[in-house]
Amino acid sequence: MKDATTLARAHEDRFAARPQVYAAPGRVNLIGEHTDYAEGFVMPVAIDFATLGAISGREDGRVVVYAENFGEERSFDADALPTARSGDWSDYPLGVMRVLAGEGYAIPGLSLSLWGDVPLGSGLSSSASVEVATATAIAGLLGVAIAGPRLARLCQRAENEFVGANCGIMDQFISANGAADHALLLDCRDLSYRLAPIPETVSLVIANTMVKHSIAGGEYGTRRAEVELACRILASHRPEIRFLRDATVSDLGRWGEEIPLAARKRARHIITENTRTVEAAEALLRNDLSTVGRLMQEAHASYSQDFEASCAEADTMVELAQEIPGLIGARLTGGGFGGCTVNLVEKSLAREFAARLAEGYRSATGIRAEMHLCRASEGAHRVL
Ligand code: ADP
Ligand code: MG
């Protein structure tokens, strides 16, 4: 399976109905890490890995979902969709259907074939791409328009409420609203956003460290608690500070001594990261790539040293990148403690860059990294 035509043909063979086909991309975050729950800014990019959803109506009142990647089918009564998760892939499309139904969109009998090439569980948000592909396909089948920001919110609710994963809004938002050759600066406070161009001469090289340290789960909660503590202490001096989004470096300078050291460092990361993220968008808007690169380097240092959410392998991957021709900027992306680094690289050198980075990483760590060469791509849309 590689394209929409092939998926449409397989769908037609299986369900004897010609489908409409929709695509929703995965994503990588260029800059703005752990700023979402501080009501701050993030700047993700939709990538050219996507989940496709082929959809057609059916007369028997059944909802039949087929996952091409797994070769598995699930079938339900459209009037009695399951109310509890089953713990497998079907939770994502079903969660979306339940949330849509709860919003008053009656789910008709339908056949839905899903297929995707977003690597699963690598931090490129295959889950959001499945949700957004499902929601977009159902909206298409129903002939209703659901605005991108709202559709993203509904998909996030599916993941929070049905799947049971405590994710922010970023992944679904960029999958629904991304634009080709652009990054998207999202204000997580009010979901307003701005597109910033990525020049044609630039590639995204996503390097999977192939490690994910198991402390990640517990540390996430600790980081959030530290961020909230720092926020409460600053707010006791300046009540306008509802989230760290509202705080400044000079607030930290004045009252930072009152905050325990670890929490103070986490706060410094969030506060400076917010500023860097907005500055990076402005730099992209004036085509100032060297500033974007510098901000990515600073973001990595802050994530590693102040937020302490990197790991030896990710630091190595970022350090190795500095020595390779073509690099504009590199940093660890995603929740931390492993996962992928994102590298902005001059397009003409991107292939060689990726090969050299993989080779350097292998000799430094013994690990064979997966490399993905991506371009900034369009958000969810109809393909066929
Ligand atoms: P990530 O979103 O970082 O890729 P998650 O653990 O959040 O990782 O989501 C991965 C899960 O999403 C998979 O285990 C699977 O259940 C579901 N999923 C992803 N892609 C597909 C697909 N093409 N078809 C069906 N389910 C998928
Ligand atoms: Mg996910």
Side-chain angles (χ1 to χ4, degrees):
M1 190 71 49
K2 267 198 260 21
D3 58 49
T5 313
T6 316
L7 180 68
R9 212 172 288 136
H11 182 96
E12 202 167 340
D13 288 347
R14 175 169 293 275
F15 298 115
R18 180 161 296 187
Q20 304 174 23
V21 184
Y22 296 83
R27 64 96 186 94
V28 68
N29 191 21
L30 267 194
I31 190 166
E33 222 62 77
H34 283 260
T35 41
D36 55 350
Y37 54 82
E39 294 209 343
F41 295 90
V42 294
M43 189 161 70
V45 178
I47 56 178
D48 45 345
F49 293 124
T51 298
L52 302 178
I55 195 163
S56 56
R58 39 191 305 148
E59 302 298 326
D60 62 1
R62 304 289 295 171
V63 166
V64 183
V65 189
Y66 183 70
E68 283 281 356
N69 294 74
F70 300 113
E72 286 178 14
E73 184 176 286
R74 298 283 186 275
S75 177
F76 312 95
D77 190 342
D79 293 329
L81 294 174
T83 52
R85 73 185 75 124
S86 61
D88 68 15
W89 62 268
S90 63
D91 291 343
Y92 298 90
L94 263 182
V96 168
M97 290 183 212
R98 285 206 56 91
V99 169
L100 287 175
E103 290 291 301
Y105 299 101
I107 303 297
L110 61 85
S111 305
L112 175 66
S113 301
L114 293 168
W115 172 81
D117 62 358
V118 186
L120 270 59
S122 292
L124 302 180
S125 216
S126 65
S127 59
S129 75
V130 170
E131 291 150 10
V132 173
T134 301
T136 310
I138 291 175
L141 182 70
L142 294 175
V144 298
I146 304 177
R150 174 152 180 258
L151 185 127
R153 207 34 125 191
L154 298 177
C155 290
Q156 181 203 11
R157 277 185 48 205
E159 189 148 345
N160 293 163
E161 295 167 15
F162 194 80
V163 179
N166 177 25
C167 62
I169 183 70
M170 171 168 73
D171 301 354
Q172 292 81 5
F173 199 93
I174 184 68
S175 184
N177 301 292
D181 304 316
H182 286 76
L184 186 154
L185 176 72
L186 175 65
D187 183 339
C188 297
R189 170 155 279 171
D190 61 8
L191 299 192
S192 59
Y193 68 97
R194 199 168 167 193
L195 296 171
I198 297 190
E200 226 186 293
T201 51
V202 173
S203 283
L204 297 158
V205 177
I206 298 169
N208 192 338
T209 63
M210 311 303 280
V211 300
K212 188 76 198 174
H213 293 287
S214 55
I215 49 166
E219 293 291 311
Y220 183 80
T222 317
R223 293 294 181 285
R224 280 194 77 146
E226 288 164 340
V227 166
E228 281 156 21
L229 172 66
C231 188
R232 273 200 306 280
I233 294 173
L234 293 178
S236 71
H237 295 284
R238 211 157 66 72
E240 314 85 275
I241 301 176
R242 289 195 292 129
F243 289 88
L244 282 184
R245 147 72 177 272
D246 306 308
T248 63
V249 171
S250 70
D251 292 330
L252 261 192
R254 281 175 77 182
W255 300 302
E257 293 292 306
E258 298 173 25
I259 306 173
L261 181 62
R264 193 191 321 159
K265 288 167 71 180
R266 312 308 178 234
R268 188 164 60 200
H269 167 73
I270 306 267
I271 293 169
T272 57
E273 183 82 346
N274 257 327
T275 310
R276 278 188 294 270
T277 303
V278 174
E279 277 178 12
E282 284 163 359
L284 275 183
L285 282 161
R286 55 172 199 273
N287 198 18
D288 176 0
L289 288 175
S290 65
T291 297
V292 176
R294 176 179 54 78
L295 291 165
M296 287 175 73
Q297 306 300 140
E298 291 174 12
H300 183 77
S302 170
Y303 202 34
S304 179
Q305 288 151 36
D306 275 349
F307 211 71
E308 295 184 88
S310 187
C311 60
E313 295 87 350
D315 285 344
T316 298
M317 191 75 94
V318 168
E319 274 157 32
L320 288 167
Q322 313 303 316
E323 310 301 320
I324 306 175
L327 182 77
I328 297 162
R331 55 176 286 277
L332 173 61
T333 183
F337 310 102
C340 295
T341 70
V342 57
N343 302 267
L344 277 189
V345 182
E346 286 168 40
K347 187 183 255 166
S348 58
L349 297 170
R351 238 162 241 296
E352 204 190 327
F353 175 93
R356 289 182 61 176
L357 185 56
E359 188 186 294
Y361 186 70
R362 184 130 191 247
S363 51
T365 63
I367 303 169
R368 194 187 289 268
E370 261 170 29
M371 296 285 165
H372 306 290
L373 258 69
C374 293
R375 61 173 298 186
S377 300
E378 194 182 349
H381 60 281
R382 183 166 179 180
V383 198
L384 276 181

